[in-house]
Amino acid sequence: MAHRHHSVVADDAHLGTLGHKQELTRHFSPLSMLGLAFAILNSWTALSASLSLALPSGGSTSVLWGLVTAGICNLCLAASLAEFLSAYPTAGGQYHWVAVVSWPKWVPILSWICGWINCFGWMALTATAGLLGSQLIVGIIPMYNAAYEPQRWHQFLIYIGYNLVAFLVNAFGNKVIPLVNKTAIIWSISGFVIISITVMASASPDYSSAKFVFTGFLNDTGWPDGVAWLLGLLQGALGLTGFDACAHMIEEIPNPAVEGPKASALTVPDE
């Protein structure tokens, strides 16, 4: 306990040297921080829910090699952000780092642009999570009620409820968020293992050939093959986005200059 208190005091002093006052409680552990980033990316769920993006835009090759391509590119980005995070562990993240490395006269406009791009990204990601979640729920209901006929307003209400619950948890349940994150990483990994085994067992023995999986290309978009391939990359990019979440929660974890970058950089390969 004494060591943790000393660490928190040192962290507050480090934040002070960067021009910021410690306002938040450092109650996240490294595992809960990794769980936060893992839950936001949740790549296998995002990939499965967005198969409709890649299947007509390259087919299996877009699903497989698009994920590899997006993974390599995003891993490079995550490593770069982790380097910034280790030097400047502030919740501002990118807009603060831009202010540090930019020419003095360009700092206001570049930080402003970077900050708003970041905000728009959060809005889009939040909207996407609610959309995919509501789609999955509407898709599951007929499995238990064959007479159910989904309506567009059904999904919209589920979408609103999904985001309302998320808002309430984040606004009033700050102390339980670390536990939610730990639960999310266990739930996600368990779901991936169980569903993968179930799908492979159900498909046996009618598996597709290795040639189809690794080299088969399908283009039903109407665009040239090169453009279709780029459209197919959207699925892989969606499944591996959001790894900067650790930066914006960095002031809530002890020893942030070490634990934050590790969580951020490990998120992409762990997914």
Side-chain angles (χ1 to χ4, degrees), residues 56-218:
S57 307
S60 60
T61 54
S62 282
V63 174
L64 178 62
W65 300 115
L67 179 60
V68 172
T69 303
I72 293 173
C73 294
N74 280 342
L75 183 58
C76 294
L77 290 173
S80 299
L81 293 181
E83 183 67 22
F84 272 108
L85 188 57
S86 67
Y88 309 102
T90 64
Q94 292 93 323
Y95 84 83
H96 181 208
W97 304 334
V98 167
V100 172
V101 300
S102 298
W103 304 277
K105 68 177 182 178
W106 289 97
V107 166
I109 184 63
L110 292 180
S111 292
W112 185 85
I113 292 173
C114 184
W116 274 108
I117 289 176
N118 208 195
C119 286
F120 290 142
W122 297 336
M123 296 175 192
L125 189 59
T126 301
T128 302
L131 174 63
L132 295 181
S134 60
Q135 285 180 339
L136 292 175
I137 294 172
V138 170
I140 289 173
I141 294 176
M143 297 175 62
Y144 297 91
N145 183 6
Y148 172 71
E149 295 183 4
Q151 303 293 329
R152 286 181 293 182
W153 65 270
H154 293 174
Q155 182 178 341
F156 180 72
L157 289 180
I158 295 173
Y159 170 84
I160 295 297
Y162 183 101
N163 284 300
L164 182 60
V165 171
F167 164 75
L168 293 175
V169 171
N170 282 276
F172 304 108
N174 192 44
K175 291 184 178 180
V176 303
I177 290 179
L179 178 60
V180 171
N181 292 335
K182 292 178 183 178
T183 304
I185 191 172
I186 297 172
W187 182 279
S188 180
I189 294 175
S190 300
F192 172 76
V193 173
I194 293 170
I195 292 177
S196 295
I197 294 174
T198 303
V199 170
M200 288 189 291
S202 300
S204 177
D206 301 319
Y207 298 120
S208 297
S209 65
K211 181 178 180 180
F212 172 80
V213 172
F214 292 101
T215 64
F217 186 84
L218 176 67

Side-chain angles (χ1 to χ4, degrees), residues 11 32 58 128 152 161 215 228 240 259:
D11 296 337
S32 61
T128 302
R152 286 181 293 182
T215 64
L240 295 174
E259 300 299 343

